[in-house]
Structures are given as structure tokens and as C-alpha cells.
Amino acid sequence: MSATFPDDFLWGAATAAHQVEGNNTASDLWAFENAPDSFLPERSGDACDSYHRWPEDLDIVRDLGLTSYRFSIEWARVEPAPGHVSRAQLAHYRRVVEGCLERGLTPVVTLHHFTTPLWFRAAGGWTGDDAVSRFRAYVRSVLPILDGVEWVCTVNEPNMVAMMSAMIKRGERKENVAGAMPPPDQDVADALIAAHRAAREELAALPRVRSGWTVANQNFQAAAGADDLAAEWAHSREDQFLDVAGDDDFIGVQAYTRVVIGDGGPIEPDPDARRTLTGWEFYPDALEGAVRHTADRVGPAVPILVTENGIATADDAERIDYTRGALAGLARAIADGVDVRGYLHWSLLDNYEWGSWTPTFGLVSVDRETFTRTIKPSARWYGQVARTGIL
Ligand code: GCO
């Protein structure tokens, strides 16, 4: 297929701090993982040691021919104790920003990607008394290191965070299929919406920054006769978070699979449907559906950045298949006039998938003992797409 992507389209890969850095010891998740009765089967440990090896990661991104790198700043490192802002950690993340700029990579910086400092969780998390002002203060503390940064995501997947909170409250331990999750804890959702707005207010001090948030798109589809129920599911779990972005500088779309809603709620895929290592249905068209749906909700004035899309598979050829399908759908949406500015593949590295190392989403594998990075054929294929715009 010939080039169908705009000339200045960003082609990148994404990571998140806790999943790749290692030893995020002041975070809530580290405490959960290492609790003697942890509900998480595996720990993050050293992860991919990207805290030290980020220059090598950035070299790989550049050498593949990509033009952008999405990473997150870890609040638990920047503010390991309430009110103590670590200058050394800020300097670390400044070096990562500069490392991107020096290599000609456009940094896409996420300020909150699931984890919080343990002290924040202990003080009640997002529904604690000062949650929003604490987050605002953290955002203010990182402004000085964002010089030269254009794209900032305030909160990653607020809808997942609020759904996970509801699940934890109910004591449920369910697989990570957002479609089958309970509706979000609305108090958490409201706090996250307020936190997002507070962060955007702070970021307005940097005129060059475009700020927005990134929503987990479930690509809800209605089975015959279930339109109303499907709309209800989509509203609480997704649309209320998209609607908040109507005045934002961009919206981040993150899509992996679809959720079909029937009379009684989500319908399991056919027993013979192809599934990925996360158990999700192999459904590359999810991206096109998510992008079109997001554009409908936020309106034409808000540009879209695909901030995550990818597949957990041990078969790298399948990663190419999936990504080719997803990009073909994205190209169709762009051809129809949807304003999409870039595509950031999830993920650069095989990383810690929130409790397990089994679902491998990476374009690059990582030896868990030596941390040696090995570039997979899918990464080279993707780099070529990025350089030529041809699928
Ligand atoms: C999320 C995150 C990523 C995941 C990815 C695959 O959506 O959960 O943004 O951290 O690793 O989505 O599950």
C-alpha cells in the first residue's frame, strides 16, 4: 500500500517508567508487588533497567528510523516523600528529554502512568483530601525540565485507573480486559478529571506544550438489539473521559481490541477466535474504530495522537500482521479526514505488563539477566514503514 500518512507524521514507540526502568521502590505498585501476599504473580524488579540504559533505548528508536519516543516521568522518583522534590531525579529526566532532542526524536512525555508514590496512596490515593493539589504541585515541579517538549500527556488511561479502583474495592481479581470490568469508581474518575484540568493549567505556563490525556479505547460494538446497553457501557467506561478532552490540545488514543456488548453485557469472542497473549481477541481494526469514535466525541478541532497500539505475542510475524492491519485502518481514517498526527507503537521493549512478564508487547526483546536488547524483525519492518510510509 502506498504512502497515506502526512509528511510530518510522528512515528514512534512507547514505554512507561514502571514497566521498563526497574527498582521503582517508592511507588505503590512496588509495594503491592513485594507484599508477602501479593495478588500480582510477578514483580517488576530491575525491569529492563531502562533507568540506566535509556541512551541505548533511544539509539535503537533513532536507528530504526522512528521519529518519536513516548516515555513517562515517575512521580514516585521525583517526589519520593511528600514535598521533597528530588533535583537529582529531575536532572535524570531532563537528560532523557535532551537525549531525545539530540537524536532528533520528538519526546512525548507522560506525567502519570498508573503508578503513584506510596505516600500518595497511603494518604487515600485519588480520593484523598489533597490529591488534586498534590498532583498539581508535582506537575509544577517538572515544568522546568520540559523545555523543548511539545507533547505532554497528563494522565494515562484515567478510565482504566478508575475501573481498577472499582475492582480493587470490590475485591475482584479479574483479567485485564477493560470491557469486562466494572464501571469506574466515579469519585476516582472525578478526581482524575480535576487532576487533568489542574495539570493543563500548570502546563499552560509553557506555550509550546500541547497537553492532553490518553484514554483506553475499548472499541465497544453493539450486538443486534443491544445499542442502548452498548452506549451505556461506552459512556461510563470511555466517553465521559473523551468528552473532557473537547478543549484539549490533543487526545491520545490507545486501542488493542474490541468489546462486543450484547443484551447481558460483554460477549466472549467465539471459542475459535484468534487471541493474543493477554487473552484479548486479535482485532487490528480496533484502532480504526477507536480513532473514528474518538474523533466523533472530541470534534474536529482536537487532533489525535495514537499513543498506544500493539499486540502481546510470542510470534513476531503476528506482530507485523497485527500492526499492518491496524495501520491500514488508521490510513483509512486519515483518508476520510480524521486529523491524526502520529502513531506510537506499544511497546518499544518486552516489559513488565503489570504483574506478569509473559505478555510480550515489544518490538525489541530484553534479556532479563544481562539486559541485552535484541531487535525483532517486526521492529525493522516498522522502521521501514516509518521511513517510507508504505505498508
Ligand atoms: C495500559 C498501559 C500500558 C499497557 C498496555 C498493554 O493500557 O495498560 O498504558 O501500560 O502495558 O496497554 O496492556
Side-chain angles (χ1 to χ4, degrees):
M1 193 197 266
S2 66
T4 37
F5 298 94
D7 281 348
D8 52 356
F9 195 74
L10 293 179
W11 291 101
T15 59
H18 189 82
Q19 297 179 269
V20 298
E21 287 182 343
N23 300 297
N24 187 17
T25 56
S27 69
D28 54 352
L29 213 74
W30 181 271
F32 287 155
E33 288 163 23
N34 290 285
D37 57 346
S38 179
F39 61 91
L40 297 165
E42 291 185 281
R43 316 175 201 211
S44 55
D46 284 321
C48 304
D49 194 29
S50 290
Y51 184 80
H52 300 105
R53 290 165 204 264
W54 62 266
E56 191 183 338
D57 295 342
L58 295 188
D59 285 349
I60 292 172
V61 175
R62 176 201 55 203
D63 293 348
L64 286 173
L66 306 181
T67 54
S68 179
Y69 182 58
R70 175 179 179 224
F71 66 96
S72 68
I73 294 178
E74 183 59 50
W75 182 6
R77 289 190 200 274
V78 169
E79 193 180 359
H84 166 66
V85 175
S86 164
R87 285 188 207 148
Q89 296 294 347
L90 286 179
H92 166 82
Y93 288 111
R94 179 63 198 162
R95 286 194 291 276
V96 181
V97 168
E98 283 173 3
C100 290
L101 299 174
E102 281 157 12
R103 289 168 180 79
L105 300 172
T106 298
V108 177
V109 179
T110 302
L111 301 178
H112 179 272
H113 197 121
F114 289 169
T115 42
T116 62
L118 184 55
W119 60 260
F120 180 84
R121 164 86 55 178
W126 287 107
T127 49
D129 282 347
D130 302 326
V132 173
S133 57
R134 289 289 192 188
F135 185 66
R136 179 191 283 274
Y138 155 66
V139 173
R140 193 176 300 149
S141 76
V142 303
L143 295 181
I145 64 165
L146 296 178
D147 191 34
V149 175
E150 212 178 311
W151 300 90
V152 176
C153 314
T154 59
V155 178
N156 180 70
E157 298 193 352
N159 51 339
M160 285 291 297
V161 175
M163 285 188 272
M164 290 295 298
S165 299
M167 252 172 67
I168 291 169
K169 253 195 200 161
R170 293 183 184 200
E172 285 174 18
R173 303 268 179 274
K174 236 186 180 167
E175 65 189 276
N176 179 20
V177 178
M181 286 177 128
D185 179 323
Q186 197 56 42
D187 292 338
V188 172
D190 291 343
L192 289 166
I193 291 169
H196 169 63
R197 294 196 166 125
R200 286 206 358 106
E201 277 168 26
E202 294 300 320
L203 289 160
L206 302 174
R208 191 175 158 182
V209 162
R210 300 168 201 241
S211 63
W213 66 357
T214 59
V215 176
N217 289 250
Q218 308 311 315
N219 200 1
F220 287 106
Q221 299 179 5
D227 290 318
D228 290 349
L229 191 61
E232 200 181 305
W233 273 69
H235 176 76
S236 61
R237 290 167 178 78
E238 182 170 317
D239 295 348
Q240 64 162 326
F241 300 89
L242 294 175
D243 295 348
V244 167
D247 295 321
D248 290 359
D249 303 322
F250 76 95
I251 175 82
V253 169
Q254 319 205 145
Y256 294 88
T257 189
R258 66 173 166 181
V259 175
V260 181
I261 303 291
D263 287 341
I267 302 179
E268 277 294 303
D270 288 343
D272 54 350
R274 193 165 157 193
R275 301 227 191 195
T276 71
L277 286 178
T278 39
W280 304 341
E281 183 188 2
F282 178 98
Y283 189 69
D285 286 348
L287 183 59
E288 179 182 6
V291 159
R292 290 185 188 274
H293 177 71
T294 299
D296 284 346
R297 297 299 308 188
V298 299
V302 183
I304 288 174
L305 196 56
V306 177
T307 38
E308 287 183 23
N309 169 253
I311 175 174
T313 176
D315 171 3
D316 194 52
E318 189 174 45
R319 189 177 334 277
I320 298 179
D321 257 19
Y322 177 90
T323 310
R324 185 188 278 119
L327 287 172
L330 187 62
R332 286 192 293 270
I334 293 172
D336 285 345
V338 181
D339 182 8
V340 185
R341 303 292 174 91
Y343 171 88
L344 308 174
H345 190 80
W346 185 270
S347 178
L348 178 65
L349 305 174
D350 284 344
N351 60 36
Y352 179 65
E353 178 61 17
W354 310 112
S356 171
W357 284 93
T358 305
T360 39
F361 278 93
L363 296 164
V364 174
S365 66
V366 180
D367 182 305
R368 299 267 320 286
E369 278 172 25
T370 62
F371 306 108
T372 303
R373 275 75 169 133
T374 304
I375 294 169
K376 301 181 190 177
S378 57
R380 304 216 185 270
W381 170 84
Y382 176 48
Q384 178 146 339
V385 173
R387 286 190 304 268
T388 60
I390 295 171
L391 284 178

